[in-house]
Amino acid sequence: MIDAQNSRKHDGRQARPAVNAETLVDAEADEVPAAEPTQVTGRRALAYLGLCLVLIGLNLRTVFSSFSAVLPEVTSDAGLPGWAVVVLTTVPVTLLGVFAPLAPVLARRFGAERVLLGAMAVLTAGLLLRPAEVPGAGHLPALFAGTAACGAAIALCNVLLPGLVKRDFPHRLGLMGGLYTTAICASAALGAGFTYPVFRATGQWTSGLWFWAAPAAVVLLLFLPVALRQRHGQHTAVREGVNVWRSAVAWQVTIFMVLQAMMSFSVFAWLAPILRERGVDGGTAGLIVSVSIVLQMLGSLFAPALAARFRDQRVINTVVALMTGGGFALSIFGPLDLVWVWTGMLGLGQGSLTAVALTMIMLRTRDGHTAAHLSGMMQGVGYGLGSTGTLLVGQLHQGTGSFAAAGFLFLAVGLLAAVFGYRAGRDKFIGG
């Protein structure tokens, strides 16, 4: 052991941080004094807290996949113009980047638990508002307002939830980290798979969207007593670590994140409409998307461990980027008889791509403060610019009348992701 340590000192390198649950970045890393764990009274209360956090994760992607599952019905019944469809699929992703920087600020002021509670209340309200019809104005105003509220709420949850999981379960990080990330993937799969059947059972697309307010409201009520009993003192922010905004490595990792986000959220927003335009019925399209997202879970479970085994991640980053871009394009161009193969390749590639992009946060930083700053940079820029993927798909479809141009777009995005993934995968730390 001593020889190994001396060898690492001799070659000037630090040991890589263990990557599994440590990929859960604490957004409150800069707080002084450090944020205390959530106050619970025993093991049962701790298990209850863990259940609440996982259930929150289970509500963070239904807003994206549920809308796309009934997009043709919403467009037809509500008379949505093409520009409105583009905005509705783009705005929630854009707001993930806009509101992400506010999460640590609000947590310092009110406490992470109460901010999460408020975010779940806003998410529930947004899901309830989204399908409503405004007298004399139709569905469009409520769709805009509800979708925007959901995007803002999810942004806060995205930033704060991983830190709470890491802070409150230091001895169960592997289990809780796995449950949390799996719940988020499952959320997208549930939204894709169950929205259309609810529509078919009720005959109303509004019922298919309203359905998802129920689980959000249940989690809100379950988490309410936990959040309200927390005490929160005065905290200030102390900036430590290198300036990630001036680091070439940080920008390479961030652009890699931007490109994966362009493809990831376009899958949620457009894969079901793409399949339905190709002649797949709504129920089968939802099932195909759900299975593809389940395969994302497998990729997200195994890819980080594989990436962390090596100092250099250029090969895995390149491969999963090309799998994702190729799978997306083949879902549009490839023979329909093999659609399960194309969407399966897309799912495995996308899950792996998202996971390794997030894993770069820990593999390219030396301390928690720098990791938190890089995470904030990646979420703000990554989601903000990543929303252009859904925007471009919508505009290309509106301008050409088909998704063929989007297929070429994602071939290009996949190639660019491979290039920046290759560069981000080099064995370099931010700050030298």
Side-chain angles (χ1 to χ4, degrees):
M1 176 66 72
I2 294 175
D3 289 341
Q5 291 173 344
N6 288 337
S7 177
R8 280 195 294 271
K9 290 179 181 179
H10 180 71
D11 69 11
R13 297 182 187 275
Q14 289 190 0
R16 293 287 183 188
V19 176
N20 183 0
E22 281 77 0
T23 57
L24 299 173
V25 177
D26 187 358
E28 299 175 283
D30 287 331
E31 284 198 8
V32 178
E36 296 181 357
T38 305
Q39 298 164 14
V40 294
T41 56
R43 289 188 176 183
R44 288 186 178 181
L46 186 63
Y48 181 83
L49 171 63
L51 174 64
C52 288
L53 297 182
V54 171
L55 290 177
I56 289 173
L58 200 57
N59 284 272
L60 296 186
R61 294 295 180 267
T62 57
V63 66
F64 303 103
S65 55
S66 60
F67 183 72
S68 67
V70 290
L71 181 57
E73 288 74 23
V74 177
T75 303
S76 174
D77 183 67
L80 298 184
W83 65 266
V85 173
V86 173
V87 171
L88 288 168
T89 54
T90 303
V91 162
V93 187
T94 304
L95 292 180
L96 295 185
V98 172
F99 280 85
L102 293 179
V105 178
L106 293 173
R108 281 194 295 272
R109 178 67 178 85
F110 301 105
E113 295 87 354
R114 295 192 179 192
V115 176
L116 266 182
L117 179 68
M120 286 305 299
V122 173
L123 177 61
T124 303
L127 291 169
L128 286 170
L129 175 62
R130 190 169 55 152
E133 184 173 8
V134 178
H139 288 279
L140 195 56
L143 279 169
F144 280 145
T147 300
C150 291
I154 293 169
L156 300 179
C157 293
N158 278 347
V159 176
L160 295 178
L161 193 56
L164 276 179
V165 171
K166 185 175 183 179
R167 190 182 76 194
D168 292 329
F169 298 90
H171 304 299
R172 294 289 185 271
L173 283 178
L175 173 63
M176 285 301 299
L179 289 174
Y180 155 74
T181 53
T182 300
I184 291 180
C185 286
S187 174
L190 291 171
F194 284 95
T195 304
Y196 191 81
V198 173
F199 157 69
R200 289 293 299 271
T202 62
Q204 299 290 329
W205 63 266
T206 53
S207 300
L209 296 186
W210 263 319
F211 177 82
W212 299 106
V218 169
V219 177
L220 172 64
L221 294 175
L222 289 174
F223 192 56
L224 181 65
V226 176
L228 291 183
R229 75 165 63 104
Q230 303 309 310
R231 296 190 302 272
H232 185 69
Q234 293 295 319
H235 294 263
T236 57
V238 173
R239 296 292 180 182
E240 295 185 9
V242 299
N243 187 339
V244 295
W245 296 91
R246 297 180 179 179
S247 165
V249 176
W251 276 108
Q252 290 159 8
V253 173
T254 298
I255 295 173
F256 185 42
M257 177 71 172
V258 168
L259 295 166
Q260 81 79 22
M262 288 180 69
M263 292 189 281
S264 178
F265 286 98
S266 294
V267 169
F268 296 150
W270 293 110
L271 184 56
I274 286 169
L275 296 175
R276 295 186 68 177
E277 187 173 278
R278 296 199 66 186
V280 179
D281 68 89
T284 303
L287 179 61
I288 292 173
V289 175
S290 294
V291 172
S292 180
I293 295 172
V294 169
L295 290 175
Q296 284 189 28
M297 297 184 204
L298 293 179
S300 68
L301 287 174
F302 293 109
L306 180 61
R309 291 178 64 89
F310 305 98
R311 288 186 176 275
D312 187 302
Q313 293 77 37
R314 286 179 289 185
V315 172
I316 186 172
N317 288 358
T318 301
V319 169
V320 297
L322 293 176
M323 278 182 64
T324 306
F328 210 149
L330 286 168
S331 297
I332 297 173
F333 297 130
L336 195 58
D337 291 344
L338 297 176
V339 68
W340 290 93
V341 176
W342 314 138
T343 55
M345 182 172 76
L346 172 60
L348 283 173
Q350 184 62 64
S352 302
L353 179 61
T354 302
V356 296
L358 293 173
T359 302
M360 292 297 105
I361 295 173
M362 300 308 300
L363 292 179
R364 295 294 168 263
T365 57
R366 286 191 170 98
D367 57 76
H369 292 278
T370 305
H373 297 162
L374 178 60
S375 177
M377 176 181 177
M378 287 175 64
Q379 292 202 56
V381 177
Y383 291 136
L385 294 182
S387 63
T388 58
T390 59
L391 175 65
L392 287 172
V393 173
Q395 288 183 324
L396 288 171
H397 183 264
Q398 187 178 354
T400 65
S402 77
F403 286 107
F408 292 109
L409 169 68
F410 284 107
L411 282 175
V413 173
L415 287 171
L416 284 172
V419 170
F420 282 95
Y422 184 89
R423 296 186 65 81
R426 292 176 300 171
D427 182 24
K428 289 186 176 182
F429 282 110
I430 291 174

